[in-house]
Amino acid sequence: MTAAGFLDIVTPGLMTSVQDLGRFGAQALGMPVAGATDPIALRLLNRLVGNPENTAALEIGYLGPGFTVAADSVRVAFGGVAKLTLQPADGSDARGLKPWRSVLLKRGDRLTIGAIEDASVACLAVQGGFAIPLFMGSHSTYMRSGLGGFEGRALRAGDRLPLKLNAAPEGEERELADSIDYGSGPIRVVLGPQDDRFTPKGIETFLSATYTVTKEADRMGLRLDGEVVEHTRGADIASEGLVTGSIQIPGNGKPIILMADRQTTGGYTKIATVISADLPRVGRMKPGDMLSFRAISVAEAEAIRREQEKQVRRLIEGVRTALPDVWLDHNALYTVNLISGAVDAPSGHWK
Amino acid sequence: MSNYPQIRSFGDTGFSVEFGEGIDRAVNAQVMALHAALGEAKLPGVVETIPSFRALLVQYDPLNASRAELESQVRAMLAGLKASLRTGRLWRLPVCYAPDLAPDLADVAERCKLSPDAVIATHTAGRYFVYMLGFMPGLAYMGGLDASLHLPRRKEPRLKVPQGSVAIAESMTTIYPWESPGGWHLIGRTPLRLFDAGRSEPILLAAGDEVTYAAISADDYAAMLNRVEQGTFDYAALQVKP
């Protein structure tokens, strides 16, 4: 048995938590699903480091963590738009890394992930995943109750996150050939389950207004600001089950889209449900982002999801051996003094 | 002709089957019967089902099933559904009603025009039915509270309700599995953990269970709490033969 390896968290980022594809099977007991906000990114990044798609990874909210490798080696892949800085343990110059490409880090290397520039969340997968216990069948963190994941909470400075593998197998690095298409235009919804509790004007407002994501946007849900949606008779119903993407309209008439950390049941009227194919896009939205809604049928929603899944499968099949790391070459060329710096090799910063 | 059951859309990952209005044992028995039948049937693509007062939410994976096909399978099951009022386990749960563990007992007694002892006697005389769980992991909504104890929720919810608090509001009673905010009236406390991550089954109660309460002394409370904290408490012994 090899000695245990860790990622030593130097800076925790703003909201970094361990997530897999979610905890299903105990919602009848009130246990929320949790899981990755962007399951497509989680699945693809896992494939880049050779993991099963449901392996737990780090979901990063807004600002990435910085960590030092306390293992012989670890292979990681980051997906998102952020500055990635590798400070090698051997004392060589810090360099930038590309997203959507696996990289082998050595003991003592420090990787720092900057602000997430394109979305509220990003993701970092590690080969083999983390050596943390399963809780009720999942590694996902449900922070409100302090359950699952790493000690049931977001990472903190000084945490030692245990790795399954103390050394990553040697092998070629892999990269994604194409980027994910999250879609554009209005967020597609299916009306119901309580669309009969809104006036025709209320439904029309909901489907025509532009809403803004407020600061109250987290893993539990997104509160929206914009035109008030008119009820027929109050906003309360007998509590009933919810799905991720349920759009509640409470008494103030402003929509709330429920996300991964939603409760299992709720007692507010729900005007519509975000289709499953648009959930990653909604989950990636930040305060200040604008959105509108368009209603489609259940059958259309299912067809769109199946089409999206084909796209994900194509991306997975298109994963290819990464081109040699030009930044390493740059370093090597200088070291062996073949070209004496006569050629201006490409910079290590991809952005 | 009844308007029920009614099917309602939850996008492309769910639909609910609604069996009636309000909080009613006979309506809920149909919910639980379909919950059990779907649990047995293990239809491809069904992820899980969530029972509530009057509806069952069926969650499905649109990559492995379609709404059209599942809805017709569920409609076929509805025809042969046999609802029974008694399906779950029966529990006898200890509660200490000592004043320091029952911050709202005196207030509830005053508002219901009863003595505190009469409130305790009424609460322990009841047999409660777990309609559903929700709000937080392991929180059971138990119906069947005697009408003499019905009160609206507190105007100002507490920011911190202690774990194990036994509470009432409207026609319901519950036990807080966690320390949490809460707006119900706290009339006692159980030494038990309704949620314990260290237990093989972390969540004690399930929808369809029935619960009675047994008043215990402060000494018994302390002794049981000690066993609960040591992990030596035998929860199975709380189940009684119906």
Side-chain angles (χ1 to χ4, degrees):
Chain A
M1 195 176 149
T2 51
F6 297 90
L7 297 184
D8 283 342
I9 306 300
V10 180
T11 52
L14 205 60
M15 176 60 78
T16 307
S17 64
V18 174
Q19 303 292 344
D20 57 19
L21 292 174
R23 181 174 287 107
F24 291 94
Q27 290 182 82
L29 300 174
M31 190 67 220
V33 175
T37 298
D38 182 352
I40 298 176
L42 177 91
R43 294 170 60 196
L44 292 174
L45 292 164
N46 271 326
R47 296 309 297 162
L48 290 181
V49 295
N51 288 342
E53 291 176 17
N54 189 24
T55 306
L58 291 181
E59 176 166 305
I60 295 161
Y62 297 104
L63 174 69
F67 59 82
T68 305
V69 176
D72 287 350
S73 63
V74 61
R75 181 171 281 109
V76 304
F78 172 83
V81 179
K83 189 171 174 188
L84 302 182
T85 311
L86 172 62
Q87 179 69 62
D90 62 14
S92 56
D93 289 348
R95 57 192 173 93
L97 293 178
K98 281 201 224 175
W100 303 110
R101 181 196 200 285
S102 68
V103 59
L104 187 67
L105 305 178
K106 301 286 194 183
R107 184 179 294 278
D109 285 356
R110 177 175 299 185
L111 179 64
T112 306
I113 302 170
I116 312 303
E117 295 167 25
D118 63 329
S120 61
V121 291
C123 187
L124 179 90
V126 306
Q127 188 168 16
F130 302 109
I132 56 174
L134 273 176
F135 176 70
M136 294 178 93
S138 164
H139 285 122
S140 287
T141 314
Y142 178 59
M143 285 172 270
R144 294 178 82 83
S145 295
L147 296 171
F150 179 76
E151 298 184 1
R153 59 171 173 79
L155 297 184
R156 294 177 193 147
D159 282 343
R160 306 202 79 200
L161 194 54
L163 298 166
K164 272 269 175 62
L165 304 177
N166 182 48
E170 290 296 324
E172 289 173 319
E173 302 310 324
R174 295 197 275 185
E175 67 183 5
L176 209 57
D178 265 310
S179 56
I180 303 170
D181 178 9
Y182 288 102
S184 59
I187 298 296
R188 292 158 298 184
V189 300
V190 174
L191 288 175
Q194 281 94 34
D195 49 328
D196 54 351
R197 293 285 299 270
F198 298 88
T199 63
K201 181 169 162 259
I203 301 275
E204 196 197 310
T205 303
F206 174 73
L207 293 175
S208 60
T210 298
Y211 288 97
T212 308
V213 178
T214 68
K215 282 184 195 146
E216 286 172 276
D218 58 18
R219 287 183 41 82
M220 194 168 176
L222 281 70
R223 279 179 192 269
L224 306 182
D225 197 13
E227 267 190 83
V228 166
V229 178
E230 188 180 79
H231 289 90
T232 50
R233 49 182 179 100
D236 295 330
I237 56 165
S239 272
E240 63 172 18
L242 299 168
V243 297
T244 302
S246 283
I247 305 176
Q248 290 181 334
I249 312 274
N252 69 3
K254 308 274 179 83
I256 302 173
I257 307 178
L258 298 176
M259 300 305 291
D261 278 0
R262 65 181 167 78
Q263 293 170 358
T264 55
T265 61
Y268 287 126
T269 45
K270 297 174 289 296
I271 192 169
T273 311
V274 174
I275 70 169
S276 60
D278 281 352
L279 285 173
R281 195 174 142 213
V282 170
R284 289 166 50 80
M285 288 185 167
K286 306 184 297 285
D289 285 353
M290 317 267 261
L291 70 159
S292 60
F293 298 105
R294 183 163 75 82
I296 63 172
S297 71
V298 172
E300 286 173 296
E302 289 173 342
I304 291 168
R305 175 65 191 285
R306 287 175 197 136
E307 200 45 54
Q308 182 187 57
E309 183 61 15
K310 281 186 201 156
Q311 189 222 137
V312 173
R313 305 278 10 140
R314 276 197 299 273
L315 286 171
I316 288 172
E317 281 154 24
V319 166
R320 64 190 181 200
T321 300
L323 299 171
D325 188 329
V326 293
W327 299 279
L328 267 179
D329 286 348
H330 172 108
N331 219 348
L333 292 173
Y334 273 99
T335 309
V336 298
N337 202 21
L338 283 177
I339 52 170
S340 308
V343 176
D344 187 17
S347 135
H349 291 278
W350 61 275
K351 189 175 192 289
Chain B
M1 194 58 200
S2 161
N3 289 325
Y4 295 101
Q6 261 179 37
I7 302 222
R8 292 179 179 269
S9 292
F10 284 66
D12 61 333
T13 61
F15 59 93
S16 70
V17 184
E18 207 169 272
F19 288 94
E21 299 285 343
I23 298 170
D24 181 288
R25 278 292 293 273
V27 169
N28 185 262
Q30 293 177 278
V31 174
M32 293 309 299
L34 184 61
H35 178 56
L38 280 167
E40 292 271 306
K42 295 187 170 41
L43 300 178
V46 171
V47 175
E48 59 185 306
T49 56
I50 308 178
S52 57
F53 293 110
R54 62 196 189 110
L56 186 75
L57 172 59
V58 180
Q59 290 188 359
Y60 71 95
D61 176 357
L63 302 180
N64 287 310
S66 76
R67 160 73 177 274
E69 158 192 293
L70 280 178
E71 187 177 326
S72 71
Q73 284 167 307
V74 166
R75 283 188 190 278
M77 289 171 95
L78 286 173
L81 207 60
K82 293 234 171 13
S84 153
L85 283 184
R86 196 145 298 145
T87 53
R89 300 161 293 183
L90 176 62
W91 300 87
R92 189 156 178 79
L93 306 181
V95 180
C96 180
Y97 296 90
D100 58 327
L101 301 177
D104 296 333
L105 181 59
D107 180 53
V108 166
E110 196 183 316
R111 292 173 64 181
C112 297
K113 302 189 168 59
L114 294 168
S115 68
D117 283 347
V119 172
I120 295 167
T122 306
H123 193 247
T124 51
R127 180 157 163 156
Y128 303 98
F129 178 74
V130 179
Y131 279 97
M132 60 177 283
L133 286 90
F135 183 57
M136 60 180 81
L139 185 129
Y141 291 87
M142 302 178 224
L145 184 66
D146 190 87
S148 66
L149 298 181
H150 290 192
L151 289 172
R153 276 175 277 190
R154 287 166 56 90
K155 285 218 177 66
E156 286 180 30
R158 284 189 171 82
L159 291 176
K160 269 190 183 178
V161 171
Q163 182 186 47
S165 291
V166 175
I168 58 171
E170 315 282 0
S171 63
M172 297 273 149
T173 182
T174 194
I175 302 174
Y176 283 87
W178 307 81
E179 181 184 277
S180 72
W184 294 33
H185 307 273
L186 314 183
I187 61 165
R189 203 178 301 173
T190 179
L192 308 179
R193 287 188 182 151
L194 280 281
F195 185 105
D196 187 342
R199 218 162 37 211
S200 62
E201 289 184 16
I203 293 171
L204 192 67
L205 301 178
D209 286 358
E210 288 181 283
V211 173
T212 60
Y213 295 112
I216 59 170
S217 69
D219 285 349
D220 287 349
Y221 175 88
M224 279 190 200
L225 186 63
N226 190 42
R227 270 158 43 218
V228 164
E229 284 172 351
Q230 303 294 317
T232 58
F233 189 86
D234 178 15
Y235 283 88
L238 298 167
Q239 277 187 55
V240 290
K241 295 237 156 60

